[in-house]
Amino acid sequence: MRARSTRLAGIALAAGLGLASLAACGSSDNTSTTPGSTGDAAAGGKKIALLLPESKTTRYETFDKPLFEAAVKAACADCTIIYSNADQNAAKQQQQAESALTQGADVLVLDPVDGAAAASVVASAKGSSIPVVAYDRFIEGADYYVSFDNATVGKIQATTLVDLLKAGGKTSGDLVMINGSPTDPNAADFKSGAHSVLDGSGFKIAAEYDTPDWSPDKAQQWMEGQISAVKGNLVGVYAANDGTAGGAIAALKGGGVTPLPPVTGQDSELAAIQRILLGDQAMTIYKPIEPEAEAAAKAALALANGQTPEKTTDFKGVPSTILDPIAVVKDNIKDTVVKDGIYKVSDICTGEVAAACTEAGIS
Ligand code: GAL
């Protein structure tokens, strides 16, 4: 427990110092190699490849990468990490995976841009007897899978939205759904989980959009087009993550929609926590990344050493660790992301957010 909070404090500090941009200096194709503290693979440590999908969503460079590296190094000082970020480009990720295999990676930890296309990465890794951990997003044929319960994420987002609308006295009206990337298997699970609650809720889903690349800009453009289509009937916006929520909110504000309808989100990004305090966003989902990164590091090290990793369950026939997502609204910001040391009060309560923090009892 102490190790966990110390590690997170270090990460938070590094994030504040612009760790993401430092990491990006590594090389032009977003690939870097981090030797362990006492040696490198030549000295006997394993080479672990971490392949993340994008950098517009803040979690990857700010939390997943440093927490995964810290977990590997804590367990194996002489292991080496080959790190790549694909910037939402599936072809680039395929090359990064091939390059990791050429560099002698002993295991791939792959968060795929395109879940279906990643099956060929698994096949080529298997051809070289290299195991693959599917990180956060499922890949058919992977040796291990670590994620959150993604259908539950969608259900919680939608339930929170419906509950908020009903608490505000609304039982009917139009909703729009801004889903995630069509190539991300998680996005399909968020969407079906949300539909299982919204369909038959009394509210009408007037329009729905699968956001290419999870792009906040594309979400914003689409929402701008919907404002005149749904006219005054819009009562709520289901947005699958905080990036798309930010795009939707910018469009609604730009279109002069007042009051803003409740908008959902996911990832507990700092900007989203601030929007929740200001009343611009209704909720987000908190997925503690540290246990996810630690489970992936543990599984990767076991597989790299020819051992069978411990599992808590099987998902589609793949041994897995599946973690629980948590809903965050104004009232529990203090007991979730602040309590867990994800953000310091001083990071959240800046500028115009300061007064909202005081009102919400966050100090
Ligand atoms: C999902 C992931 C979310 C979010 C999104 C955008 O697969 O589970 O946490 O980051 O991708 O990249």
Side-chain angles (χ1 to χ4, degrees), residues 11 39 78 82 95 110 116 119 128 136 216 229 255 282 284 290 303 315 357:
I11 302 297
D78 63 353
I82 303 167
Q95 284 163 11
L110 175 58
S128 325
D136 201 68
T284 185
E290 192 170 25
L303 288 165
F315 185 86
C357 282

Side-chain angles (χ1 to χ4, degrees), residues 53-54 57 59-60 88 111 136-137 147 150 184 186-187 190 214 241 266-267 287:
E54 58 131 322
T57 302
R59 60 170 283 183
Y60 301 110
Q88 272 298 355
D111 189 339
D136 201 68
R137 300 176 182 172
S147 192
N150 294 306
D184 175 354
N186 286 359
F190 304 146
W214 286 98
N241 79 347
Q266 168 180 202
D267 285 335
K287 302 194 291 192

